[in-house]
Amino acid sequence: MDFSAVINARHSYRSFSDRAIDKTVLRQIVAQAQQTPSWANAQPWQVVIATGDTLAKIRTTFAHRTQQGQAGSTDMTVAHRTSWDSQSRRNMADWSNDLSQYLYDQNVGTKAYSDSQLTLFNSPALVYLTVPGDVNAWQIFDTGAFAQTLMLSAANVGVQSIPAYELVKYPDELRQLLGLPTDQKILMGVALGYADAGVINGFRTSRVATDQMLTIKA
């Protein structure tokens, strides 16, 4: 696929079909993401993909804890909106308002959004990105770059994605279900899948004007 087409094909999809992703495809997506650059070629990331029974256990456990009102406690500190700069807060507010208006216009309300989170987007494959031991800022940067490359690689073969807090909010449960050591930090989860016909998948986010965030100095 042309690179511009790949960039434009990748959106945060929130509702996937029941169609499984072939393990060969998953391996290809991860192998291509390994081309991501990192500090002194550190390649700090480890990748664990949950499918089948393991994913079902994660989905059931997370849904139960969420419905019981148990707060999440991610390995990375949650950055509440009040801790972001003013422009980022405006962007977040615009996103929230745009999403609410879209759901209202589609006559589905916010339940479609909350339901998608509760089911972990009905994803057939959850990709967990982890690093061992104490985490430094460069590891986070490198792993974020890896995540973006992974999602673009997925889009190139028609697999859609969404990185989400909902996938990592109970890390102790994840370590147990995924068989990870206690010192393995779970930085982010990315849900992969084939988009279904759900209305929520039609939502598109906006971007600030390029001139608003770009400075080129001669």
Side-chain angles (χ1 to χ4, degrees), residues 21-96:
I21 305 173
D22 190 273
K23 290 183 179 179
T24 302
V25 174
L26 291 174
R27 186 178 183 84
Q28 173 189 336
I29 289 169
V30 173
Q32 289 183 341
Q34 286 184 273
Q35 296 302 311
T36 303
S38 59
W39 179 285
N41 201 33
Q43 304 173 71
W45 49 75
Q46 291 287 308
V47 181
V48 182
I49 303 180
T51 63
D53 290 343
T54 298
L55 191 154
K57 291 175 183 176
I58 292 172
R59 182 175 286 124
T60 299
T61 300
F62 273 42
H64 176 74
R65 293 188 66 167
T66 298
Q67 290 170 328
Q68 292 296 311
Q70 297 181 33
S73 180
T74 53
D75 284 341
M76 286 204 299
T77 302
V78 174
H80 295 285
R81 296 191 183 190
T82 55
S83 66
W84 294 74
D85 63 276
S86 58
Q87 180 60 57
S88 295
R89 292 198 303 272
R90 284 193 294 271
N91 293 340
M92 292 179 191
D94 289 344
W95 170 82
S96 182

Side-chain angles (χ1 to χ4, degrees), residues 51-196:
T51 63
D53 290 343
T54 298
L55 191 154
K57 291 175 183 176
I58 292 172
R59 182 175 286 124
T60 299
T61 300
F62 273 42
H64 176 74
R65 293 188 66 167
T66 298
Q67 290 170 328
Q68 292 296 311
Q70 297 181 33
S73 180
T74 53
D75 284 341
M76 286 204 299
T77 302
V78 174
H80 295 285
R81 296 191 183 190
T82 55
S83 66
W84 294 74
D85 63 276
S86 58
Q87 180 60 57
S88 295
R89 292 198 303 272
R90 284 193 294 271
N91 293 340
M92 292 179 191
D94 289 344
W95 170 82
S96 182
N97 292 335
D98 290 347
L99 176 61
S100 295
Q101 185 63 52
Y102 173 81
L103 294 175
Y104 176 81
D105 291 342
Q106 298 297 318
N107 296 315
V108 294
T110 58
K111 189 175 185 298
Y113 181 81
S114 58
D115 285 351
S116 72
Q117 291 183 306
L118 188 64
T119 62
L120 305 184
F121 315 105
N122 196 44
S123 168
L126 300 180
V127 181
Y128 287 101
L129 307 179
T130 76
V131 296
D134 295 330
V135 180
N136 64 57
W138 294 105
Q139 288 174 310
I140 295 172
F141 178 88
D142 289 346
T143 305
F146 180 91
Q148 173 69 347
T149 308
L150 181 140
M151 289 185 284
L152 292 176
S153 174
N156 189 52
V157 292
V159 175
Q160 292 300 340
S161 59
I162 180 170
Y165 164 85
E166 290 296 321
L167 306 175
V168 296
K169 65 181 182 179
Y170 303 125
D172 290 338
E173 293 281 4
L174 285 175
R175 273 185 281 272
Q176 180 179 353
L177 291 169
L178 296 174
L180 297 174
T182 56
D183 68 341
Q184 196 80 5
K185 301 297 190 299
I186 301 171
L187 297 191
M188 181 47 69
V190 179
L192 298 179
Y194 298 100
D196 66 13

Side-chain angles (χ1 to χ4, degrees), residues 202-215:
F203 176 66
R204 294 291 180 270
T205 54
S206 61
R207 295 293 185 269
V208 299
T210 302
D211 289 343
Q212 186 177 336
M213 49 71 65
L214 172 65
T215 301

